[in-house]
Structure formats: C-alpha cells, structure tokens
Amino acid sequence: MKGMTAPILIVFLNVCLLVCGQIVWKIALNRTPLTGIHNLGTVLMQPYILVGCLLYGIATVIWFYALSRFDLSRVYPLQSIAYVLGALFGWLVLKETFTSSQWLGLLFLVGGAFLLAR
C-alpha cells in the first residue's frame, strides 16, 4: 500500500476497535450503572466491560504498530474519526438524539482530520 492508504487503513482498524469497546462499555453500563465505589467490582466484572477492555488492548497494539511505522503528525489526526464513529453508533445503535449543530460538528471533524493527515 502506498502513500496514506496504509496508515489510513491501520488507524481505521484501531478506531473501529476503540469505538466497539466504547459501545460494549455503554451497553454494560446501561445494564448496571456505576453508582459509586460500592458497585465498582460488579461493574468491572461484567462480560461486556471485559470484552471492551480486550478490544482496547488489541487497538493499543495496533496503535503501537502505527506509531512505529508512520509519522505521528499524519496518523494522530485520523484518531478524531473515533468521535464520528462513536457518535454515529450512538445514534444508530443506542438511539441517541442528534442536533443539526452536532451533525455539522462531525462533518468538520471528518474534513479537518483528513486535511491534517495529508
């Protein structure tokens, strides 16, 4: 893969894993909210919390690979796509509401990330 294709694909995989980790954490916390230190152990031992941690671990290894191969100034802006995917999944999967200004903000994030990564 030449140019920015390889970094974009590697960072996109990293971002997808991070977002999936956040989604499973949100699902777990919707089921058993963290209400204080007294139920922290119960929350942390939920299967979805543990799966989210595994996804974050894999994403971190992929990020290490990206950092070892590509310029930080080119790949780091692409991480902001996680905000976009997270918001979209919140809207699609978790049925969260979105304002027009939030949609506009996501559009600016996408445009800015790709301009910085060029």
Side-chain angles (χ1 to χ4, degrees), residues 59-108:
T60 299
V61 171
I62 292 169
W63 184 243
F64 289 165
Y65 176 77
L67 289 177
S68 70
R69 302 262 331 233
F70 309 111
D71 292 342
L72 179 66
S73 63
R74 300 197 92 187
V75 295
Y76 195 69
L78 296 173
Q79 285 283 321
S80 64
I81 299 304
Y83 299 122
V84 175
L85 291 179
L88 289 175
F89 274 99
W91 178 64
L92 291 170
V93 176
L94 303 171
K95 307 299 182 209
E96 296 175 354
T97 58
F98 249 68
T99 66
S100 56
S101 62
Q102 287 172 306
W103 285 113
L104 185 60
L106 291 177
L107 183 65
F108 283 131

Side-chain angles (χ1 to χ4, degrees), residues 1-14 62 65-66 69-70 75 78:
M1 290 183 260
K2 297 199 183 255
M4 277 303 291
T5 305
I8 288 172
L9 292 176
I10 291 167
V11 173
F12 186 72
L13 177 60
N14 167 262
I62 292 169
Y65 176 77
R69 302 262 331 233
F70 309 111
V75 295
L78 296 173

Side-chain angles (χ1 to χ4, degrees), residues 34-44:
L34 179 62
T35 57
I37 194 77
H38 66 280
N39 77 331
L40 179 61
T42 302
V43 168
L44 291 177

